[in-house]
């Protein structure tokens, strides 16, 4: 049984300097992604110090097209509220799925890890 979305949200989101980090858990579902998305959008909208969001995919070993589409929607919404978007720690299988799916994720930077991506964004 998965832990409640509320507890995962607190563990999955943290900020470093002016960047909100969204550390996505492996096998996330649409309910969890919706909870994380709501928190990200609320934080970016109300905290003018946050100017970018980095989605950390280091915990993700597999993802299906449905979850990739949901992540794409979250990233588009974050961009619409004015934050720059970065991706980090993308595994080879996830990278291949993104490329083969034809989805163009709306990010400004992709790095090896959180720090690398933050450096590219700023």
């Amino acid at each position: 049984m998965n832990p409640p979305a509320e507890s995962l949200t607190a563990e999955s989101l943290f900020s470093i300097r002016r960047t909100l980090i969204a550390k996505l858990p492996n096998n996330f579902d649409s309910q969890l992604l919706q909870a994380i998305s709501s928190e990200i959008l609320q934080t970016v909208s109300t905290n003018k110090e946050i100017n970018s969001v980095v989605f950390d995919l280091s915990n993700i070993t597999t993802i299906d097209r449905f979850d990739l589409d949901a992540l794409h929607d979250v990233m588009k919404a974050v961009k619409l509220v004015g934050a720059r978007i970065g991706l980090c720690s993308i595994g080879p299988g996830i990278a291949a799925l993104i490329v083969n799916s034809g989805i163009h994720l709306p990010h400004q930077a992709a790095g090896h890890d959180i720090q690398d991506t933050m450096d590219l964004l700023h």
Side-chain angles (χ1 to χ4, degrees):
M1 180 174 198
N2 290 335
E6 298 81 29
S7 67
L8 285 174
T9 301
E11 297 169 9
S12 301
L13 296 175
F14 55 94
S15 62
I16 301 173
R17 296 192 306 269
R18 298 178 58 131
T19 302
L20 185 64
I21 309 300
K23 189 167 183 69
L24 299 179
N26 191 32
N27 298 323
F28 63 86
D29 60 13
S30 59
Q31 180 183 4
L32 176 60
L33 192 57
Q34 181 61 39
I36 292 171
S37 171
S38 295
E39 187 67 29
I40 290 169
L41 294 172
Q42 181 66 27
T43 301
V44 171
S45 296
T46 59
N47 185 343
K48 299 304 176 195
E49 293 295 314
I50 301 292
N51 62 13
S52 56
V53 177
V54 172
F55 291 88
D56 180 357
L57 306 182
S58 61
N59 290 332
I60 298 177
T61 56
T62 61
I63 188 171
D64 62 23
R65 178 63 193 253
F66 178 77
D67 291 336
L68 183 60
D69 286 340
L71 178 59
H72 183 232
D73 289 344
V74 171
M75 293 176 74
K76 289 189 303 187
V78 169
K79 193 167 184 174
L80 284 172
V81 296
R84 291 186 302 251
I85 301 167
L87 292 169
C88 72
S89 305
I90 302 170
I94 308 302
L97 176 64
I98 292 169
V99 170
N100 292 332
S101 72
I103 290 178
H104 298 286
L105 297 178
H107 66 283
Q108 282 86 20
H112 294 289
D113 57 27
I114 292 169
Q115 186 61 52
D116 184 38
T117 306
M118 289 174 56
D119 291 345
L120 292 168
L121 285 171
H122 297 285

